[in-house]
Amino acid sequence: MIRALPGWALRTLDLPTEAGKTARDMDALHATLISVTFAGTLVVALMTFYYIVRYRRKREFETTRSLVASGKREFIQAGLLLSMFLAFWAWGYAQYLHIETPPDHAMVVYVSAKQWMWKFSYDDGQTSNDTLYVPEHQKVRLVMTSRDVIHSFFAPSFRVKQDVIPGRWVNIWLDAAEPGVYPLYCAEFCGAGHSTMLGQIHVLTAEEWAKWRRGANPEEMIARGREAAMKNGCLACHTLDGQRHIGPSWSRLYGSTVKLQGGATVVADEAYLTESMMDPLAKLVDGYNPVMPSYRGHLSAEDVGAIVELIRSLKDGGGQEPTIALPKLVVEKTGQTTETKP
Ligand code: CUA
């Protein structure tokens, strides 16, 4: 099986460089599919030519012979072609699942698109515009949203493209093996500056990456999330230590299976958490009242990312971390008499 395309083939086919294994695998399928299609077309063309010569009309008033096709042979031919198509489907479907499923333990970068730039927020609190920095040999999950219109994150060297939609968070992941600089495009017409919405993906060596990370504080994003949650009143209803309140606690929420009203369940991932901030009534948690307002337009993309990061940091429970004491006032408002001890 072809593992990857050599440089001359990439140039001939006008394909971008391959940044990692995902791109190489996809090119292997692409090349095989095209080669088989070309070979099939060639066989059909040659046979057509042969038949034209072999069975041409030789005399006037010559009639066409009546032929009855062998059912068995037709069955075998159709079966062979079908199994070939199914093999391509299975190969492509496996790749599709691979691309659509971000690996566990991938590094997370939050991406916010707006007219006409890309903004990247890293888990250590750093940000960058239009240039995404990732370390080599590291799988990177991008959690993306748009501030205004639909954009499309297109990194041809990684063979990935994903629409970025306002009010929703979507996932994509990059498989970066080789250090280098790869182009990033917006592939959805998003207004007058669409063609200028260009970026770069810098895959850094371990050494360069350490330099880029230096000085960054890994707790910064979580701290920002806590600050945003306090400022926006989230903590008036959600606790960080697992106590039940007006809304579900954020402790041990991330990655858990949430039971919804109506009996359905959902896994609390970035997409669900974000949807719950933007459209709280879309998926109501069983046993809670529909009292949460929408935060669409009130929270910046970075704050949403930071709050999700805070919730993620609590996935194994709040630990020894001092809980923000539940204000008594809020407890009284619900009419409950339970005392809460800070
Ligand atoms: Cu953003 Cu086109």
Side-chain angles (χ1 to χ4, degrees):
M1 195 185 293
I2 314 163
R3 289 310 309 166
L5 296 184
W8 63 265
L10 285 176
R11 283 189 297 277
T12 311
L13 294 171
D14 202 18
L15 288 172
T17 46
E18 296 163 333
K21 184 175 175 299
T22 305
R24 287 197 293 274
D25 287 351
M26 194 180 286
D27 281 359
L29 171 58
H30 179 205
T32 311
L33 201 54
I34 286 202
S35 313
V36 171
T37 314
F38 270 26
T41 310
L42 190 67
V43 169
V44 170
L46 289 176
M47 278 169 73
T48 308
F49 187 69
Y50 171 75
Y51 286 140
I52 286 172
V53 175
R54 175 82 175 74
Y55 296 106
R56 72 189 185 281
R57 195 171 70 158
K58 293 173 189 108
R59 294 181 308 276
E60 236 179 302
F61 310 118
E62 186 183 348
T63 53
T64 307
R65 268 190 299 159
S66 164
L67 291 173
V68 180
S70 137
K72 196 172 140 198
R73 195 194 284 175
E74 291 219 340
F75 187 78
I76 292 172
Q77 278 178 358
L80 275 176
L81 285 175
L82 179 66
S83 48
M84 218 163 78
F85 288 133
L86 287 179
F88 284 138
W89 174 81
W91 189 356
Y93 187 61
Q95 285 194 1
Y96 172 74
L97 288 185
H98 175 73
I99 291 167
E100 286 295 307
T101 318
D104 298 341
H105 312 300
M107 185 184 117
V108 176
V109 178
Y110 293 92
V111 183
S112 139
K114 64 170 197 177
Q115 287 168 324
W116 289 278
M117 60 181 285
W118 300 99
K119 181 159 187 181
F120 303 101
S121 312
Y122 303 80
D123 56 359
D124 61 3
Q126 298 200 81
T127 59
S128 62
N129 290 336
D130 288 329
T131 304
L132 170 64
Y133 296 97
V134 297
E136 60 180 328
H137 302 299
Q138 163 77 51
K139 304 201 183 328
V140 180
R141 176 144 70 110
L142 304 177
V143 183
M144 311 194 285
T145 194
S146 166
R147 272 201 219 170
D148 36 45
V149 299
I150 300 178
H151 302 273
S152 182
F153 184 97
F154 180 36
S157 297
F158 298 84
R159 307 292 189 270
V160 291
K161 180 153 89 172
Q162 172 66 53
D163 273 13
V164 185
I165 300 154
R168 255 173 72 181
W169 288 71
V170 289
N171 276 296
I172 204 175
W173 71 278
L174 300 178
D175 164 31
E178 298 294 316
V181 179
Y182 305 96
L184 165 66
Y185 301 99
C186 174
E188 179 74 49
F189 181 65
C190 55
H194 160 69
S195 60
T196 63
M197 196 166 161
L198 302 167
Q200 286 180 332
I201 300 174
H202 280 238
V203 179
L204 305 176
T205 60
E207 211 173 300
E208 292 167 331
W209 177 249
K211 217 160 130 195
W212 155 254
R213 292 289 260 200
R214 198 168 303 151
N217 173 11
E219 290 297 309
E220 211 166 291
M221 191 81 162
I222 298 170
R224 177 175 181 162
R226 187 173 290 117
E227 198 180 304
M230 277 200 273
K231 225 167 48 196
N232 290 284
C234 312
L235 301 180
C237 297
H238 300 278
T239 67
L240 302 181
D241 63 353
Q243 284 189 68
R244 192 194 154 91
H245 200 35
I246 297 170
S249 174
W250 287 354
S251 170
R252 298 181 199 277
L253 171 61
Y254 181 85
S256 69
T257 305
V258 177
K259 190 155 171 262
L260 303 176
Q261 277 175 26
T265 58
V266 64
V267 173
D269 57 4
E270 283 82 356
Y272 164 76
L273 294 174
T274 311
E275 184 190 46
S276 298
M277 291 184 225
M278 298 303 153
D279 189 2
L281 306 186
K283 295 195 176 80
L284 270 176
V285 180
D286 193 31
Y288 289 90
N289 291 324
V291 292
M292 178 170 159
S294 167
Y295 280 85
R296 189 188 301 271
H298 295 286
L299 283 174
S300 73
E302 291 79 20
D303 280 347
V304 172
I307 290 174
V308 172
E309 206 57 45
L310 166 67
I311 298 176
R312 231 154 73 91
S313 74
L314 301 171
K315 67 171 187 282
D316 299 318
Q320 300 310 311
E321 178 176 342
T323 300
I324 286 113
L326 290 183
K328 263 213 175 144
L329 180 118
V330 181
V331 179
E332 281 156 15
K333 247 201 263 173
T334 66
Q336 292 173 1
T337 46
T338 22
E339 274 292 306
T340 48
K341 292 192 181 69

